Amino acid sequence: MAISFKNVGYKQYEIRRAETVEKSLIPIGIKTPLNFGQNGDGFYEMNYTVADQIHDNLKNLLQTNHGERIGRYFYGANLLPVVVEYTNKEDFDSEATIRINTAVSDWMPFIILEDFVSRPIYDNNKNIQKIGIVVTYSVPEANISNKAIEIVLFVI
């Protein structure tokens, strides 16, 4: 007499083992900002998909200024000097897009930049304290399309 495995149950300990196997994907990189790992993540929280790792790396590239990365002086979009000299939106937008495009083409050439939007962020007073930048991008090789990233730069 043959028994079909379709309707056979699982023992309780095997169900728990199967759940942990499904969660134990191979990590691709460390998620930033650094946080301690939880639920089997390891010492730090990790990125488990290529899309999350590319998003994290692009965010770090946009927020890094020249001279902040040891051994790679020209790494980053170097947006701080543009923010410090913020006089009008048109000049800021044109210079920021040039710097972002240069950094991405140098360090992450597989990313296709699509849109750029900047806006001043006002707090309780009328003085500009922050500038928000939203960059939309695609990575055809990784099947990532129209993904947006937002960074906030503080005006000094």
Side-chain angles (χ1 to χ4, degrees), residues 51 112 114 136-148:
I112 297 172
E114 295 173 354
T136 307
Y137 66 95
S138 295
V139 183
E141 293 86 4
N143 293 327
I144 301 168
S145 61
N146 295 326
K147 190 155 182 179

Side-chain angles (χ1 to χ4, degrees), residues 29-48:
I30 298 172
K31 188 183 292 188
T32 57
L34 293 177
N35 290 314
F36 290 113
Q38 298 174 2
N39 301 329
D41 229 2
F43 192 69
Y44 293 117
E45 287 184 0
M46 305 296 281
N47 288 319
Y48 290 96

Side-chain angles (χ1 to χ4, degrees), residues 105-121:
S105 65
D106 287 347
W107 297 101
M108 301 178 83
F110 51 88
I111 292 179
I112 297 172
L113 298 173
E114 295 173 354
D115 291 324
F116 172 90
V117 177
S118 71
R119 62 181 173 82
I121 300 172

Side-chain angles (χ1 to χ4, degrees), residues 3-38:
I3 299 175
S4 173
F5 282 101
K6 291 182 181 178
N7 296 323
V8 176
Y10 295 98
K11 291 186 178 181
Q12 194 65 21
Y13 70 90
E14 291 178 1
I15 292 174
R16 279 188 246 132
R17 192 185 82 209
E19 289 173 357
T20 57
V21 169
E22 290 173 8
K23 290 181 183 178
S24 65
L25 300 172
I26 297 172
I28 295 175
I30 298 172
K31 188 183 292 188
T32 57
L34 293 177
N35 290 314
F36 290 113
Q38 298 174 2

Side-chain angles (χ1 to χ4, degrees), residues 1-140:
M1 177 172 149
I3 299 175
S4 173
F5 282 101
K6 291 182 181 178
N7 296 323
V8 176
Y10 295 98
K11 291 186 178 181
Q12 194 65 21
Y13 70 90
E14 291 178 1
I15 292 174
R16 279 188 246 132
R17 192 185 82 209
E19 289 173 357
T20 57
V21 169
E22 290 173 8
K23 290 181 183 178
S24 65
L25 300 172
I26 297 172
I28 295 175
I30 298 172
K31 188 183 292 188
T32 57
L34 293 177
N35 290 314
F36 290 113
Q38 298 174 2
N39 301 329
D41 229 2
F43 192 69
Y44 293 117
E45 287 184 0
M46 305 296 281
N47 288 319
Y48 290 96
T49 64
V50 173
D52 290 341
Q53 188 63 43
I54 290 173
H55 188 81
D56 202 30
N57 290 346
L58 180 60
K59 177 184 69 171
N60 290 329
L61 179 70
L62 295 178
Q63 292 178 334
T64 303
N65 297 298
H66 290 174
E68 291 180 349
R69 179 96 182 249
I70 296 175
R72 304 218 187 256
Y73 180 84
F74 292 106
Y75 181 83
N78 200 33
L79 294 174
L80 184 62
V82 181
V83 173
V84 171
E85 299 173 4
Y86 184 82
T87 55
N88 64 21
K89 185 170 174 15
E90 291 79 25
D91 291 342
F92 173 78
D93 287 352
S94 65
E95 185 63 27
T97 53
I98 290 169
R99 289 177 183 230
I100 290 171
N101 193 32
T102 302
V104 169
S105 65
D106 287 347
W107 297 101
M108 301 178 83
F110 51 88
I111 292 179
I112 297 172
L113 298 173
E114 295 173 354
D115 291 324
F116 172 90
V117 177
S118 71
R119 62 181 173 82
I121 300 172
Y122 298 99
D123 282 338
N124 295 331
N125 56 19
K126 302 244 182 204
N127 297 327
I128 298 174
Q129 296 178 355
K130 302 176 206 170
I131 298 175
I133 295 176
V134 178
V135 175
T136 307
Y137 66 95
S138 295
V139 183

